[in-house]
Amino acid sequence: MASPSKAGAALAALREDLVGDVFAPGDVGYDEARAVFNALIDRRPAVIAQCVDEADVVRAVRFGRELDLKIAVRGGGHSVAGMAVNDGGLVVDLRHMRAVSVDPAAEAVRIAGGATMSDLDRATEPYGLATTGGRASTTGVGGFVLGGGTGWLDRWCGLAVDNLLGVELVTADGERVHASADENPELFWGLHGGGGNFGVVTALTLKLHELPVFSVAFVMYLPAFGREVVRTYREIITAAPVEASGMAVYVTGPPADFVPPQLVGRLMCGALLTYAGPEEDLRKLAEPLLALPHEAEVVGAMPYAEVQCLLDDPPGLRNYWSADYLTGLPDDLVDVYCARGEAIPVPTGVQYVLLPQGGAIADGPHEYPVPYRDAPWAVHPFGIWQDPADDERCLQWVRDVRDDVRPWSTGAVYLNFIGDEGPERVVAGMGAENTRRLAELKRRYDRDNVFRFNHNIRPA
């Protein structure tokens, strides 16, 4: 650890050299700068460097190395484990780096490291183009993609990493590196699921797909119909084209225009059917769901960027999530899922989500460190609540979900959807053989494990 005089001089130099803002404890704006969306996370970095370009990132990383500071990287700040912030270290904050540049002729888009999903979707929408994005507009694109990337379009155009064309990053030595299929291919491989272990990603280039129209059907039911709803949704997706996706969900009735007032705050079961295509095709798929007794429905064409906003998790709530991938969805598992759905903490923001896979996910490249690709279904318990008095019951409910589905679990996990669940779960999120290869890559690019505030790979 550097002496106080050296640290003070280095901080003064950083304030002078960085084009962006620098915050330290006691500065006006420091508390706002350190806050992340998950209210369970309350950490106090020694320095927050809000970078505006790649040169700023280089300056910040070299500053951190000079003082031997722990370094966290903040893109969208949407890590449920709070990995975008630390105690007593440096935060390289990319939120001012949000430029998105669309090349419609090449059907590609370059996204700066601090951009959110909304930045990406709003930029590509005027061209009738899109790519697999997270299911919330506030998700940071960088962390989402580097963790694998699953969303409403993944059955149709693959996981986000399947659409990755290039990455620009700053290494632990403060060097600028570009990775693609032709340039630093081993690093490029590691960035397909290896997260932020290898450097600060300042920009990504992704492949785009033509998406002139997008349609949704969201139907809400009383929980007594849950088992029939989930089985019906299962049968629809099993036979549906890859353009169809969505979810089954248990949730507290939200205060939305389409929810009858008497159902707000009450337990509901829902089915969301998304479709990368016109409303008439969606309606045909959704007929069995609409034929079941239901309390509310929304069916129609809707801009993809708007659909991405439907599940936004407002900042300032308490969050604890987990995930498991499933070998299948037999009727006995449907019964288990629905029983736990009927027991979600109400009224809270808790969401109990069942997601389909298959399609382009299963057909995509199997060489990347994303071991959940072949699972046909995934279950995601999202604990979201406001009152600290609900902490224990919400935390326990998420743990109970994992216990429930263990007999059907493939053992794989999507790391973007979990907090810190220990090193074994990190291996489960990347695959045992992949983890060994990633550890060798980590030694090459980050021998000192400078970038450890992530689902960490230790250097071999």
Side-chain angles (χ1 to χ4, degrees):
M1 186 63 67
S3 67
S5 59
K6 179 181 178 181
L11 178 58
L14 183 68
R15 291 187 191 272
E16 181 69 24
D17 294 342
L18 207 76
V19 178
D21 294 323
V22 176
F23 294 94
D27 289 347
V28 174
Y30 170 79
D31 284 331
E32 181 181 356
R34 70 183 179 88
V36 291
F37 89 105
N38 186 357
L40 285 179
I41 307 299
D42 183 18
R43 295 179 182 153
R44 301 185 63 83
V47 181
I48 301 170
Q50 293 191 330
C51 303
V52 301
D53 57 21
E54 191 176 48
D56 264 3
V57 173
V58 171
R59 294 183 189 105
V61 170
R62 290 179 176 172
F63 163 82
R65 296 306 307 276
E66 178 186 356
L67 297 185
D68 195 26
L69 291 174
K70 301 175 291 185
I71 300 178
V73 182
R74 178 169 185 162
H78 219 258
S79 161
V80 69
M83 293 171 178
V85 66
N86 59 29
D87 281 317
L90 167 67
V91 173
V92 179
D93 188 340
L94 307 179
R95 283 178 294 165
H96 291 306
M97 299 171 60
R98 299 177 66 161
V100 179
S101 178
V102 181
D103 185 341
E107 295 191 338
V109 57
R110 180 183 182 275
I111 310 110
T116 65
M117 208 56 60
S118 182
D119 296 323
L120 169 59
D121 296 333
R122 300 293 182 188
T124 60
E125 189 173 63
Y127 301 97
L129 298 168
T131 194
T132 299
R135 297 176 179 87
S137 70
T138 50
T139 301
V141 177
F144 166 77
V145 173
L146 298 176
T150 169
W152 304 130
L153 300 180
D154 55 12
R155 282 172 37 86
W156 174 54
C157 58
L159 298 169
V161 287
D162 299 343
N163 295 279
L164 186 60
L165 300 175
V167 180
E168 299 159 44
L169 76 161
V170 175
T171 69
D173 294 327
E175 301 298 327
R176 305 181 192 196
V177 175
H178 183 267
S180 67
D182 300 320
E183 189 175 0
N184 297 304
E186 182 70 4
L187 175 60
F188 189 57
W189 170 85
L191 294 166
H192 285 70
N197 273 282
F198 309 108
V200 183
V201 171
T202 55
L204 312 96
T205 301
L206 295 172
K207 179 182 178 182
L208 295 172
H209 305 261
E210 293 186 15
L211 184 66
V213 62
F214 193 72
S215 306
V216 299
F218 186 42
V219 193
M220 298 195 74
Y221 310 82
L222 295 176
F225 296 98
R227 287 160 178 77
E228 194 171 358
V229 170
V230 174
R231 289 174 183 143
T232 300
Y233 178 74
R234 177 190 64 190
E235 299 309 313
I236 290 173
I237 286 294
T238 299
V242 296
E243 290 84 356
S245 187
M247 65 177 179
V249 61
Y250 280 86
V251 66
T252 298
D257 292 342
F258 64 91
V259 178
Q262 68 272 20
L263 298 179
V264 174
R266 291 183 55 189
L267 177 64
M268 301 294 296
C269 177
L272 172 67
L273 195 60
T274 64
Y275 191 74
E279 178 183 343
E280 53 267 32
D281 293 345
L282 169 75
R283 283 191 175 273
K284 292 175 184 175
L285 287 174
E287 282 177 358
L289 287 171
L290 294 169
L292 298 175
H294 56 281
E295 307 301 311
E297 66 178 75
V298 175
V299 184
M302 182 181 293
Y304 172 67
E306 294 297 327
V307 176
Q308 291 285 70
C309 300
L310 293 178
L311 295 179
D312 282 355
D313 185 355
L317 299 179
R318 305 167 83 79
N319 285 256
Y320 180 74
W321 311 342
S322 195
D324 275 283
Y325 282 75
L326 308 172
T327 56
L329 190 59
D331 283 348
D332 51 351
L333 176 52
V334 171
D335 292 342
V336 168
Y337 168 80
C338 292
R340 186 61 62 191
E342 291 164 3
I344 70 171
V346 174
T348 64
V350 169
Q351 301 171 10
Y352 189 20
V353 176
L354 187 64
L355 296 170
Q357 294 221 117
I361 305 170
D363 293 339
H366 278 65
E367 66 266 25
Y368 298 140
V370 282
Y372 46 84
R373 186 184 292 278
D374 288 330
W377 292 90
V379 63
H380 295 299
F382 291 99
I384 306 170
W385 67 101
Q386 185 170 15
D387 189 347
D390 287 329
D391 284 2
E392 187 49 45
R393 70 172 181 143
C394 289
L395 292 169
Q396 188 58 51
W397 178 83
V398 172
R399 296 178 187 124
D400 288 343
V401 169
R402 290 212 59 218
D403 289 340
D404 285 349
V405 304
R406 189 162 285 117
W408 297 275
S409 174
T410 67
V413 64
Y414 176 45
L415 294 175
N416 284 353
F417 273 169
I418 72 170
D420 183 0
E421 297 184 1
E424 290 184 359
R425 286 280 273 175
V426 174
V427 174
M430 299 178 186
E433 188 58 41
N434 291 330
T435 301
R436 285 188 281 272
R437 183 175 168 187
L438 289 165
E440 294 284 343
L441 190 64
K442 178 77 168 179
R443 183 180 64 184
R444 178 178 171 187
Y445 284 95
D446 186 12
R447 179 182 296 272
D448 298 324
N449 202 15
V450 171
F451 300 112
R452 71 189 71 154
F453 288 91
N454 44 42
H455 291 293
N456 193 234
I457 302 164
R458 293 188 176 275

